Amino acid sequence: MELAWFLPLSTDVRHIGQWPEEGPDPTLDHLVAITEAAESAGCVELLVPTAYVTWLETFTAAAAVLARTRHARMLLAVRPNQFHPAQLAKLVLSLDLMFPGRIRLNVTTGGWDEDRWIGAEEDRDTRNRRLREWLEILDLIWYGEHPVHFDGEFYSITGTMTVRRMSGHIPIAMSGSSPSVRRSLVEHGNSYLLFGAPPEQVAAEIQGLRSTPGHRDDITVGLRVHVVVRPTEAEAWAAAEDIVSRVDPRARELVAAGRTDPASQRAVQQALAGAREQVVSPNLWAGIGTARFGVATALVGEPEQIADRLEEYAALGVGSFILSGYPKLEEAARFGQLVTPLLRRRGLL
């Protein structure tokens, strides 16, 4: 399996749901320290999120960290409505030329409230149609014959070209349970990303991908989940409860009100967080989702239990894990001390 970690572009909090947030600022030194701690823990990649409400912008922060580190890749999250595909193609090409082999894209397809900030609110069907054109243009600019001409529903370009061409391949990771997104993934993507969920749900998602017409055997599956690991299980659950011990009641109300969001993967996470019993499967806790959107679940336990759960997901077909904790720097080091040696002894890394 491959391990990855999460690079926060805002305050590196210990307690979620607070306002104002408390913790180290996302300075370049702090982001580099997180990256180095993740590398020491066996992680080969950092997921860099995308949002307008974060302190830092995705590509700017990633470029700065890449220039200060040597090995880890950056998995850069992007939404198609944020960039014209020709702009994004040039941006990624620039990073790949400066940091060859260290760039991947995480193309996210869900709708977000902040889309209205840039006047880009669209329903799911429109977003999915735009996605297909957006990915096709990226392929044409990166790998096709130049100059590029394209005339579609959303984009029209004429004579597009770049001075330097892509020397390799930019892997693309995507998530989404709709048939349309899965078709786009098998045509243009390389990795299918899932949020942490009970194993039976993860197995069903993987089967849904494999049954998509045109599915390729080289498409990998990744799982995004938080981790709370301590020397004993009791200590781990105490640490988990501490993460949500200072949640502002307004944050809980805001998150609970958002559980009507129809986007599939987000809706699954919100449903888990809203369950009466928040331990939704062995060592899988959905309490994180009571105070934040996005991935709602965390693996909670002592080191052997965490290694067991990761190995169980791997047996279902999960090839990589994008992990995180609160705070990111401290928990990356702890995971490297407590869990990584077990995974290596089991021959999983």
Side-chain angles (χ1 to χ4, degrees), residues 21 26 35 240 271 293 343:
E21 296 178 323
T35 302
F293 291 113
L343 299 177

Side-chain angles (χ1 to χ4, degrees), residues 206-280:
I206 294 174
Q207 181 55 42
L209 172 68
R210 290 173 175 169
S211 63
T212 301
H215 174 261
R216 310 187 321 269
D217 291 338
D218 63 337
I219 295 177
T220 62
V221 176
L223 190 74
R224 170 84 179 94
V225 68
H226 303 289
V227 175
V228 184
V229 61
R230 294 295 185 273
T232 69
E233 184 175 8
E235 289 176 290
W237 284 109
E241 292 298 332
D242 184 59
I243 292 171
V244 294
S245 64
R246 303 183 188 181
V247 177
D248 188 317
R250 293 170 295 179
R252 291 191 190 276
E253 293 173 4
L254 179 65
V255 172
R259 292 201 180 110
T260 58
D261 190 299
S264 56
Q265 293 239 21
R266 183 174 174 183
V268 168
Q269 292 292 290
Q270 292 167 343
L272 290 173
R276 180 174 298 178
E277 298 295 333
Q278 290 181 347
V279 181
V280 293

Side-chain angles (χ1 to χ4, degrees), residues 5-14 22-38 46 55-56 61 64-65 68-69 74 325-332:
W5 200 253
F6 184 88
L7 194 69
L9 299 187
S10 290
T11 310
D12 191 9
V13 301
R14 182 180 302 274
E22 298 179 359
D25 294 343
T27 63
L28 180 55
D29 285 345
H30 191 71
L31 297 184
V32 169
I34 291 173
T35 302
E36 292 174 342
L46 280 293
W55 286 38
L56 304 178
V65 174
R68 288 270 301 271
T69 56
M74 294 287 148
Y326 294 100
K328 306 295 182 293
L329 177 57
E330 184 178 312
E331 293 303 314

Side-chain angles (χ1 to χ4, degrees), residues 28 58-68 74 76 95 98-99:
L28 180 55
T58 307
F59 289 83
T60 307
V65 174
L66 284 164
R68 288 270 301 271
M74 294 287 148
L76 306 174
L95 287 173
M98 291 188 290
F99 310 106

